[in-house]
Amino acid sequence: MNRYINILFVFIMSFSFAQEQDSIVLSFSEYLGYVKTYHPIAKQADLSLQIGQANLMKARGGFDPKVEVNNERKKFKNLEYFDQLNATFKIPTWYGIELKGNFEQNDGVFLNPQNSVPDDGLYSAGISASLGQGLFINKRMADLKKAKFFKEQTKADREILINQILFDASRAYFNWLQAHNETKIYERFLTNAKTRFQGVKRSVENGDKAAIDSVEAGITVKNRALGLEQAKVKRMKASLELSTFLWLNDNIPVELQSNVLPDAFIENTVDDVLEISGLPLTDFVLENHPKLRSLGFKYNGLEVDKRLKVNKLLPKVDVQYNFLTEDPDIARSFNSNQYKGGFSIAFPLFLRKERGDLKLAKAKLQDLQFEIDNAKISIQNKVLAIYRELESFETQNKLIDEIVTDYTTLLKAEERKFSFGESSLFLINSREKSLIDSQLKSIALQNKFLKAKAKLFNSLSRDLQNL
């Protein structure tokens, strides 16, 4: 707990205070900005981009030029059996072709005759190629192509991860707002109940009302106080839940303080913050969804694997040609009559391993295609359902506002009648309870409405660009 930091210092640059206990409004936009910048899951999502880039670098390393030097020497009883030096420079190319330069210098009493070279060494330059397997695609080419697809896939996956943490953080903010508003309602009606209790108590003392009326008014005060305590517990839990999303740099968690308040006018800004403002259903493009883009890049990678497995059905036909010279100025001493070359051919008779690998590759592609088809329908129906839900909430909000207004009118009328002695505490308490219930329903409906907007943002799986 010693590492927790007062939320006051988090937002001190955005606000100025006269006293430490002044209220601070933590706006929804600022809150999500801190979540996106400092939350460990958000940082973890950014790390996936580095992993994609590292995989791409690793795959490109398969085409790096190589220098190889091999030296073997044997000397026994003051007799030099052999001393062999072989230095090679290789340049891999995109297709199954490799360029090679070589210098060879060998000497010794028992040197193998085929390794005999001129005293100043032998230079060679040539080319090797695969004319069957590996000509148009090989493991090195496949790894690079898959790494490029994986890099793009990590970008889409990052959007999904960032979107999910922002969605979860939004839900926590809306729950905090709901708990705060419910607490305010109970505080206000507790004040009203205490005022009414004092008035009834004076009337009883003056003999205008029966003593039982003060008991009833006191019960109402206790009920309102009980409701307030329960609301405070709910607000405390919501605050702690919100605090799990608040972090500072260097992975320092932040504890939400009691003088920090939610934005009471969030409905005016939530669409802009979540970047869903002015986004009709007709503008929704299913193919641009990050989930489908991620699966698409994964499918492309499996396609490369399948092509590689198909290529394995071809025979291995490797050829090489190197022209030889004693002169290091190879380009001018080229003589096609002096060369070293050859070829090798290999082909399994049954190809059971290769055909099995190809079937597995095709099965993986088909399995992923089923997943893509299912994801398309699920995303489309989910987005459509949320749009319909939001349309319904527009009507529900109007109805609940009218209900709250009507209950307020009834309560005021009953209080006026009570002041004239034409009503009773029972009726006032009944009217007041109905008003409290309707206001709590209004707050709960607002919470559902805001969460529906967050679900729309989540269903689109997009990152927020304006935070």
Side-chain angles (χ1 to χ4, degrees), residues 213-398:
D213 288 339
S214 66
V215 174
E216 184 176 357
I219 292 174
T220 302
V221 171
K222 294 174 184 177
N223 280 328
R224 300 293 181 263
L226 177 61
L228 177 59
E229 285 301 314
Q230 293 173 342
K232 285 181 178 180
V233 171
K234 183 177 179 181
R235 184 175 63 179
M236 179 269 294
K237 291 181 177 180
S239 298
L240 291 175
E241 180 187 3
L242 188 78
S243 296
T244 61
F245 294 95
L246 285 174
W247 295 73
L248 289 180
N249 205 2
D250 300 324
N251 296 328
I252 300 176
V254 176
E255 183 180 10
L256 196 69
Q257 299 300 298
S258 59
N259 61 321
V260 181
L261 307 178
D263 184 4
F265 304 99
I266 189 174
E267 290 189 21
N268 299 330
T269 59
V270 62
D271 287 357
D272 292 332
V273 174
L274 296 179
E275 297 177 13
I276 58 174
S277 179
L279 189 65
L281 183 59
T282 54
D283 289 350
F284 173 62
V285 181
L286 186 62
E287 288 72 18
N288 292 339
H289 195 280
K291 176 66 174 179
L292 295 180
R293 286 194 284 114
S294 175
L295 292 175
F297 289 123
K298 184 178 179 180
Y299 188 90
N300 292 338
L302 292 180
E303 277 279 12
V304 173
D305 266 337
K306 191 193 82 169
R307 288 180 54 199
L308 184 61
K309 298 300 188 294
V310 171
N311 186 260
K312 294 289 186 180
L313 299 176
L314 300 176
K316 291 182 178 180
V317 181
D318 298 329
V319 299
Q320 61 171 323
Y321 174 82
N322 301 275
F323 61 83
L324 309 175
T325 179
E326 301 178 55
D327 189 352
D329 191 359
I330 299 176
R332 297 184 180 180
S333 60
F334 172 73
N335 186 341
S336 59
N337 291 326
Q338 300 178 151
Y339 69 90
K340 179 182 178 181
F343 68 89
S344 65
I345 299 176
F347 185 69
L349 294 180
F350 299 113
L351 293 171
R352 285 182 291 191
K353 178 180 182 301
E354 290 75 10
R355 288 186 286 115
D357 286 342
L358 180 57
K359 286 185 178 180
L360 289 174
K362 290 180 177 179
K364 288 180 180 179
L365 276 172
Q366 189 175 22
D367 180 70
L368 184 57
Q369 186 60 57
F370 290 148
E371 184 179 352
I372 292 174
D373 293 341
N374 180 67
K376 285 182 178 179
I377 296 299
S378 297
I379 293 171
Q380 181 176 326
N381 290 342
K382 184 177 180 181
V383 172
L384 181 61
I386 294 173
Y387 270 102
R388 297 292 181 262
E389 185 179 8
L390 288 172
E391 291 176 359
S392 174
F393 274 124
E394 297 289 344
T395 303
Q396 293 181 50
N397 283 329
K398 292 179 180 179

Side-chain angles (χ1 to χ4, degrees), residues 108-124:
V109 177
F110 297 106
L111 185 68
N112 191 325
Q114 74 174 4
N115 294 328
S116 297
V117 296
D119 293 339
D120 294 332
L122 183 66
Y123 296 88
S124 66

Side-chain angles (χ1 to χ4, degrees), residues 54-268:
N55 272 286
L56 181 58
M57 181 185 296
K58 177 182 176 182
R60 283 175 173 164
F63 294 90
D64 289 345
K66 297 179 182 178
V67 176
E68 298 177 0
V69 178
N70 183 26
N71 180 243
E72 293 187 15
R73 176 182 296 182
K74 181 178 180 181
K75 191 172 183 179
F76 184 65
K77 292 184 178 180
N78 295 323
L79 185 64
E80 186 176 79
Y81 278 60
F82 59 83
D83 185 358
Q84 296 177 294
L85 174 65
N86 195 315
T88 305
F89 179 68
K90 298 179 180 179
I91 304 177
T93 62
W94 177 248
Y95 292 102
I97 299 173
E98 188 174 75
L99 305 177
K100 182 171 65 174
N102 181 267
F103 172 73
E104 187 178 2
Q105 189 173 40
N106 305 319
D107 193 12
V109 177
F110 297 106
L111 185 68
N112 191 325
Q114 74 174 4
N115 294 328
S116 297
V117 296
D119 293 339
D120 294 332
L122 183 66
Y123 296 88
S124 66
I127 185 173
S128 61
S130 298
L131 302 182
Q133 287 187 27
L135 179 59
F136 296 109
I137 186 170
N138 52 46
K139 189 175 187 306
R140 185 171 55 200
M141 297 163 59
D143 286 345
L144 182 55
K145 287 183 177 180
K146 288 194 295 182
K148 290 180 177 179
F149 290 134
F150 180 72
K151 180 184 176 183
E152 296 302 317
Q153 182 182 345
T154 57
K155 292 181 180 178
D157 290 340
R158 176 191 175 276
E159 288 186 43
I160 296 173
L161 286 174
I162 292 289
N163 177 275
Q164 185 62 41
I165 189 63
L166 292 177
F167 170 67
D168 293 338
S170 299
R171 287 165 55 92
Y173 188 94
F174 299 151
N175 289 336
W176 178 48
L177 174 64
Q178 179 183 12
H180 172 77
N181 288 337
E182 289 178 354
T183 302
K184 290 299 179 183
I185 287 177
Y186 281 109
E187 286 176 349
R188 185 170 65 253
F189 282 100
L190 175 59
T191 301
N192 293 345
K194 286 181 177 179
T195 302
R196 190 180 303 119
F197 174 70
Q198 293 299 326
V200 172
K201 188 176 180 181
R202 284 193 297 270
S203 297
V204 171
E205 292 173 352
N206 295 332
D208 296 333
K209 292 186 180 296
I212 195 65
D213 288 339
S214 66
V215 174
E216 184 176 357
I219 292 174
T220 302
V221 171
K222 294 174 184 177
N223 280 328
R224 300 293 181 263
L226 177 61
L228 177 59
E229 285 301 314
Q230 293 173 342
K232 285 181 178 180
V233 171
K234 183 177 179 181
R235 184 175 63 179
M236 179 269 294
K237 291 181 177 180
S239 298
L240 291 175
E241 180 187 3
L242 188 78
S243 296
T244 61
F245 294 95
L246 285 174
W247 295 73
L248 289 180
N249 205 2
D250 300 324
N251 296 328
I252 300 176
V254 176
E255 183 180 10
L256 196 69
Q257 299 300 298
S258 59
N259 61 321
V260 181
L261 307 178
D263 184 4
F265 304 99
I266 189 174
E267 290 189 21
N268 299 330

Side-chain angles (χ1 to χ4, degrees), residues 434-454:
S434 297
L435 177 58
I436 292 174
D437 290 341
S438 65
Q439 289 185 342
L440 292 177
K441 287 181 181 179
S442 177
I443 292 172
L445 187 60
Q446 181 199 43
N447 180 267
K448 292 179 180 179
F449 183 50
L450 293 174
K451 286 184 177 179
K453 290 179 179 291

